[in-house]
Amino acid sequence: MKYLRWFGRALRPYWASVTCMMMCHVLLAVCSIAFVYVSKKLVDVAVAMFGGRIVDVGLGLWAIALAVVIVLRILLNALRTYLQTRTEIALKNRLRYNLFNVLMHVRTDGGSRHHSGDVLNRLQEDVRQVASTLAGSIPNLFGTALQFLAAFGFLVYLDVRLALVVVVIVPLGLLVGKFVTSRIRNLTLDIRNSDSKVQAH
């Protein structure tokens, strides 16, 4: 719980950017569903016109709608990437400044269990990982979950059987992902410890 409070304090100056990123994710989820829906309507209209049937909305209008959705997705992705990069860099700089400031004011007699090489390694890599998680991974996780829910709802709208297949497949993917993630976490921890020993040496 204390880590969550610390994360909240670290992100407090950047809540506006993080909120904007999350809004971009919401709009991107809407655009993704709109893209699929407009593409479906475009194909339906083209098939109907090819079969000689009269359609209410012409092919040109759906093509314009598709172009608008594509341009909107590109703009939203560019805005999200810009906000994420700016927030991540600002957060890294702020965390490094705060930690370095604390380290510079710590009095030590040389018997500290934290070697200066290890501390330097933590300042470089751990801060980068924390900033990347707070400014990138958390909003992206929110966006991915939102897109999954939107896609699931759209699949239910199209065909309930497709949605049921997704419900069966996703837990299997999560189980495999959990195994892979735990392996990667252990390997990353080993690499970080080896890196600290090299820096200390």
Side-chain angles (χ1 to χ4, degrees), residues 74-86:
I74 291 169
L75 292 174
L76 285 169
N77 264 320
L79 177 62
R80 181 188 59 81
T81 304
Y82 167 74
L83 288 170
Q84 181 178 327
T85 304
R86 192 183 71 169

Side-chain angles (χ1 to χ4, degrees), residues 119-140:
V119 170
L120 181 64
N121 187 37
R122 301 300 175 189
L123 271 173
Q124 288 174 340
E125 285 301 314
D126 288 3
V127 167
R128 184 181 65 78
Q129 292 289 345
V130 168
S132 175
T133 300
L134 290 177
S137 299
I138 291 174
N140 288 341

Side-chain angles (χ1 to χ4, degrees), residues 47-63:
V47 169
M49 287 176 69
F50 185 74
R53 293 196 303 272
I54 298 172
V55 291
D56 295 335
V57 181
L59 195 64
L61 200 59
W62 285 114

Side-chain angles (χ1 to χ4, degrees), residues 136-152:
S137 299
I138 291 174
N140 288 341
L141 181 66
F142 170 78
T144 303
L146 195 64
Q147 286 195 348
F148 172 75
L149 290 173
F152 181 75

Side-chain angles (χ1 to χ4, degrees), residues 27-28 42-43 45 59 73 93-94 111 121 138 145 163 172 190:
L27 293 173
L28 279 167
L42 197 60
V43 171
V45 169
L59 195 64
R73 282 179 69 179
N93 290 340
R94 188 165 187 266
N121 187 37
I138 291 174
L172 294 174
D190 290 343

